[in-house]
Amino acid sequence: MNKRRSESRPTAAILARLLGLAFQAHKKYFAVTALKSIFFTVQTVFQASMVSVFLYLLETGRPGMAVMGVAAMIALELFLAGINKWCAKAGKIHQEILKEELNQRMFLKMTRVPYHHLENPEYLDMTERARGAVVDEGCIGWTLTETGKIV
C-alpha cells in the first residue's frame, strides 16, 4: 500500500519536500550555500575579466599600471579564494548539523509508530530501508551536496 503511493510521487516532489524540511530544520545551511554560490560567481567573473584588463593596460602603453593592476588583481583573487574556502568549510559544518537534525526528526517519527505496526513485516522492511539509506548510504548528505552544486 505505501509502496505504491511512494512510487507514484514524482522525484521532484519528494526532493522539494526534503528541501522544505531541511530549510525548516537549519536555515543557516542555505544561507551559507547561497553565499558560497555568490562568491564563486564573483570569483569566476573576476578571473575572466582579469586577463582582459591586463591586456588592455599593456596595449595602452602603460606597463607600470599593468604591473600594479596585476598585483591588485592577484591580491583580490587571493581574498576571493579565501572567502570561497571559508564558505566551503562552513557549508560542510552546517551540512553535518543539518544531516543530524534530519536524522533525529526521522528517528523521532519512527518512535511514534504504534507497536502493532512494528510487527508488520512490510512496515518493518520499509523502516529498515529508510534507516539504511540515511545512516549507511548517506542519502541526505549526498542530496544536499548535489543540490548545493546545482544552485
Side-chain angles (χ1 to χ4, degrees):
M1 180 167 80
N2 276 338
K3 190 174 185 180
R4 277 184 263 134
R5 193 179 105 206
S6 65
E7 288 175 0
S8 67
R9 295 178 71 188
T11 305
I14 295 170
L15 183 60
R17 176 79 173 132
L18 173 66
L19 291 176
L21 287 172
F23 187 75
Q24 286 176 349
H26 194 68
K27 292 178 177 86
K28 288 181 184 179
Y29 171 76
F30 291 93
V32 169
T33 301
L35 189 66
K36 182 171 71 170
S37 297
I38 290 168
F39 277 112
F40 182 74
T41 303
V42 167
Q43 185 178 17
T44 303
V45 169
F46 178 74
Q47 289 170 344
S49 64
M50 193 164 67
V51 174
S52 175
V53 170
F54 177 67
L55 290 176
Y56 173 76
L57 289 174
L58 283 179
E59 285 177 355
T60 58
R62 297 187 262 177
M65 284 293 288
V67 171
M68 286 177 29
V70 166
M73 287 185 253
I74 288 173
L76 188 57
E77 174 65 26
L78 289 173
F79 174 73
L80 289 172
I83 289 176
N84 278 331
K85 205 65 149 160
W86 176 84
C87 285
K89 187 174 185 175
K92 287 181 183 179
I93 290 169
H94 287 289
Q95 181 177 342
E96 290 301 318
I97 293 169
L98 176 58
K99 278 176 23 183
E100 188 60 36
E101 176 67 29
L102 290 175
N103 283 341
Q104 287 178 1
R105 285 184 181 202
M106 185 181 80
F107 292 131
L108 183 65
K109 195 165 230 171
M110 285 181 184
T111 59
R112 293 183 185 155
V113 173
Y115 184 73
H116 68 276
H117 287 298
L118 295 176
E119 294 174 349
N120 183 348
E122 181 181 337
Y123 181 82
L124 189 59
D125 180 54
M126 189 170 48
T127 57
E128 287 299 317
R129 284 188 290 143
R131 197 174 304 148
V134 170
V135 175
D136 299 334
E137 297 175 18
C139 287
I140 291 176
W142 182 85
T143 302
L144 293 172
T145 300
E146 295 305 314
T147 305
K149 287 179 185 177
I150 291 170
V151 171

